[in-house]
Amino acid sequence: MDSTSTSNHDIEPSKIKFHYDEEEQVEQDETVTESSNIEIDEDTSTCDPTTAAVDDDDSMVVGGDKTSSDYYFDSYSHFGIHEEMLKDVVRTKTYQNVIYKNSFLFKDKVVLDVGAGTGILSLFCAKVGAKHVYAIECSSMADMAQEIVKHNGFSDVITIIKGKVEEIDLPVPQVDIIISEWMGYFLLYENMLDTVLYARDKWLVKDGLVLPDKASLCLTAIEDADYKEDKIEFWNSVYGFDMSCIRKQAMMEPLVDTVDQNQIVTNCQLLKTMDISKMTSGDASFTAPFKLVAERDDYIHAFVAYFDVSFTRCHKLMGFSTGPKSRGTHWKQTVLYLEDVISVCQGEAVVGSMTVAPNRKNPRDVDIMLKYSLNGRHCIVSRTQYYRMR
C-alpha cells in the first residue's frame, strides 16, 4: 500500500504468527491496518509557551548545542549496543527467519546491508546463497565485522564497506535487495530511514526488494500514576527545594520503557503506515488524527507509542510488534506523559492528533506535537503538548 493511503478505524486484533526459532512459534494478538489523514476539528489550548519553541530554542535543553550525529556513529562502535540488539530474540530471529525461510528471494542475488553493525544480516544472506553482499557500516564496528566475516569463511561473498551510505561508492551499479534494521525508538528516532531511502533510490534495481517493506506507528493510552509521580512530579520538591524547572524538561522528553499491558485504558489506534519501497523522505513527517476510546473507567496519565514491522514479500507474512501486548524487545515502548490527569469513563473518546517531524537543528532527533481533547462526564480538557526524542 502507498505510504499515504488512508483509513480511519480502531485496530481490531488479528492473529499473525511470528517465528522466533525453528522449534518455537509465538502467536501475537497484533494488528496491521492503514493510517489516516482525516482531520479532526478540536479546541486546543497551548501549554507553557516556553515549550512551544521546541523546534528552534535549545536554551532550556541541557546539552542543546550538541548534535545527535556527534554521538550517533560513535555509539555504535561499542559492543554493548550490538550485544543488546543481537540478544533481542524478537528482532534478530525475525530477520533470520525471513531470510532462511525465504531463501528463494536471496539465491544468486546481490544484497546491500545498510547499517550492517556486526554483519549478522549479511551472514544470514550469505548462508542462504546470496551472490554477493555489500555491507555498509560507518562506525568502527566495521573493522570487527570484517574479522567476523573472515572467521566464518564468507570473505569471498561479503564485502564490508566502512563509511556513510551517502558518501561511499559501491563496486556495482545496482543491487537486487536492500536489507536493514533501521528502526529506532518511536520507530523514527535516529532518522536512519532516510539513509535506507537514499540507498534505495541510488542502487536498487527496478522491482527490487526492500526488507522490511512496511512499518506502522501506533498509539494507546495508559494509567501510570505511580511512575509519573516518581519520574515527573518528583522535581516539584526535592529534599524541600523547588526544582520544577527540571520538571518542564522532563515532561518534554518521552520515556522509553516497558509498559505493562494491564495499564492500557483504551483501544490501540494506528497512526501511520509507511511503505518503505515507495515512500519519500518527506513522508516520515506527518500529522495523524486519533480517537482513543476508553475500555473501562480509569485515569489516563500518558499516551504510549509503539511500532509494528512487516515483511510482506515473503512466502508468508512475517514481522513483529513492539507493542505492550507483545513479547518484549529492546525498543520497548515510548511513553509521553500528559500535563493533565484525564478521568475517563468507559466508552468516552479522547480525540486529537499527533504531528511528527525530524528536528530542524538535529535531524536525528524527533519533534512531536500532541493535541488532545476530551468532553467527558467527569473531565473536560483540551491541550497541546510538545516533546522531543533526543
Side-chain angles (χ1 to χ4, degrees):
M1 105 190 35
D2 189 274
S3 61
T4 58
S5 62
T6 64
S7 69
N8 188 37
H9 51 78
D10 295 343
I11 290 180
E12 295 295 334
S14 61
K15 300 281 188 179
I16 302 177
K17 294 180 180 179
F18 298 145
H19 299 271
Y20 300 112
D21 54 42
E22 299 298 330
E23 294 78 30
E24 178 186 10
Q25 181 173 299
V26 179
E27 199 170 81
Q28 302 278 29
D29 282 334
E30 288 301 329
T31 63
V32 178
T33 58
E34 299 180 10
S35 59
S36 172
N37 289 334
I38 297 174
E39 295 183 359
I40 296 177
D41 293 327
E42 55 171 313
D43 293 329
T44 59
S45 59
T46 58
C47 52
D48 189 333
T50 61
T51 66
V54 66
D55 243 351
D56 301 308
D57 184 5
D58 284 325
S59 61
M60 297 297 293
V61 180
V62 177
D65 57 335
K66 292 277 190 177
T67 67
S68 297
S69 293
D70 293 336
Y71 305 104
Y72 178 66
F73 292 114
D74 278 346
S75 71
Y76 282 90
S77 298
H78 303 288
F79 76 90
I81 192 169
H82 296 279
E83 178 184 3
E84 180 184 33
M85 291 188 293
L86 290 168
K87 287 181 176 179
D88 183 337
V89 176
V90 174
R91 166 199 181 268
T92 309
K93 275 292 186 181
T94 298
Y95 275 89
Q96 184 185 47
N97 284 321
V98 164
I99 297 167
Y100 283 12
K101 295 178 183 295
N102 297 275
S103 58
F104 66 94
L105 294 175
F106 297 87
K107 180 70 174 176
D108 298 325
K109 293 296 194 297
V110 178
V111 180
L112 177 62
D113 182 357
V114 175
T118 59
I120 187 64
L121 302 187
S122 297
L123 292 166
F124 291 158
C125 294
K127 189 170 182 178
V128 298
K131 180 180 180 180
H132 204 89
V133 183
Y134 295 97
I136 305 176
E137 174 57 40
C138 191
S139 78
S140 61
M141 187 57 64
D143 302 322
M144 290 289 98
Q146 187 73 59
E147 288 297 309
I148 292 167
V149 168
K150 180 180 178 181
H151 289 329
N152 286 276
F154 286 109
S155 295
D156 57 335
V157 180
I158 301 174
T159 299
I160 304 293
I161 301 173
K162 187 176 183 179
K164 295 181 180 179
V165 169
E166 296 83 358
E167 297 175 0
I168 63 97
D169 292 317
L170 284 183
V172 293
Q174 291 183 310
V175 299
D176 302 300
I177 300 172
I178 292 176
I179 193 165
S180 179
E181 193 278 86
W182 54 267
M183 299 79 70
Y185 300 129
F186 190 70
L187 182 62
L188 297 170
Y189 179 60
E190 295 181 336
N191 199 28
M192 190 177 164
L193 176 58
D194 268 3
T195 299
V196 175
L197 299 181
Y198 177 93
R200 180 200 67 187
D201 293 343
K202 185 172 183 178
W203 290 301
L204 189 65
V205 299
K206 184 180 180 180
D207 298 323
L209 299 182
V210 180
L211 299 173
D213 60 320
K214 297 287 178 64
S216 301
L217 187 66
C218 305
L219 190 71
T220 189
I222 63 168
E223 181 281 324
D224 201 21
D226 292 342
Y227 208 60
K228 184 184 179 186
E229 181 71 25
D230 181 58
K231 300 296 290 186
I232 304 296
E233 308 306 338
F234 163 79
W235 298 106
N236 289 327
S237 179
V238 181
Y239 295 98
F241 296 98
D242 183 347
M243 297 189 181
S244 56
C245 57
I246 297 179
R247 181 191 183 279
K248 294 178 182 179
Q249 182 170 324
M251 283 293 297
M252 291 172 57
E253 296 181 359
L255 177 70
V256 175
D257 206 349
T258 300
V259 172
D260 186 331
Q261 62 176 312
N262 294 322
Q263 296 176 259
I264 298 173
V265 177
T266 70
N267 62 304
C268 300
Q269 166 113 32
L270 184 136
L271 295 174
K272 178 75 170 179
T273 293
M274 291 178 283
D275 185 336
I276 316 305
S277 63
K278 298 178 181 178
M279 69 179 289
T280 66
S281 176
D283 292 333
S285 300
F286 61 88
T287 298
F290 61 82
K291 181 180 180 181
L292 299 178
V293 180
E295 297 178 343
R296 64 174 185 259
D297 296 354
D298 210 330
Y299 296 97
I300 294 174
H301 298 91
F303 291 130
V304 173
Y306 64 92
F307 64 87
D308 300 341
V309 169
S310 300
F311 300 78
T312 70
R313 300 290 294 273
C314 299
H315 179 62
K316 293 183 179 180
L317 176 64
M318 302 183 78
F320 61 85
S321 175
T322 64
K325 295 182 180 179
S326 301
R327 186 172 179 177
T329 72
H330 78 281
W331 288 287
K332 304 178 183 179
Q333 291 88 41
T334 301
V335 181
L336 301 101
Y337 284 111
L338 306 180
E339 287 284 357
D340 306 286
V341 176
I342 300 176
S343 175
V344 67
C345 298
Q346 184 175 3
E348 293 181 345
V350 180
V351 298
S353 65
M354 178 180 282
T355 299
V356 177
N359 180 265
R360 288 201 291 261
K361 182 177 180 182
N362 297 332
R364 295 195 185 278
D365 296 351
V366 180
D367 287 334
I368 303 166
M369 181 175 70
L370 186 64
K371 297 182 179 181
Y372 61 90
S373 64
L374 170 68
N375 187 9
R377 281 176 282 171
H378 303 309
C379 183
I380 298 175
V381 63
S382 182
R383 188 183 290 275
T384 300
Q385 286 186 231
Y386 298 85
Y387 306 86
R388 180 168 166 188
M389 293 283 296
R390 51 174 289 115

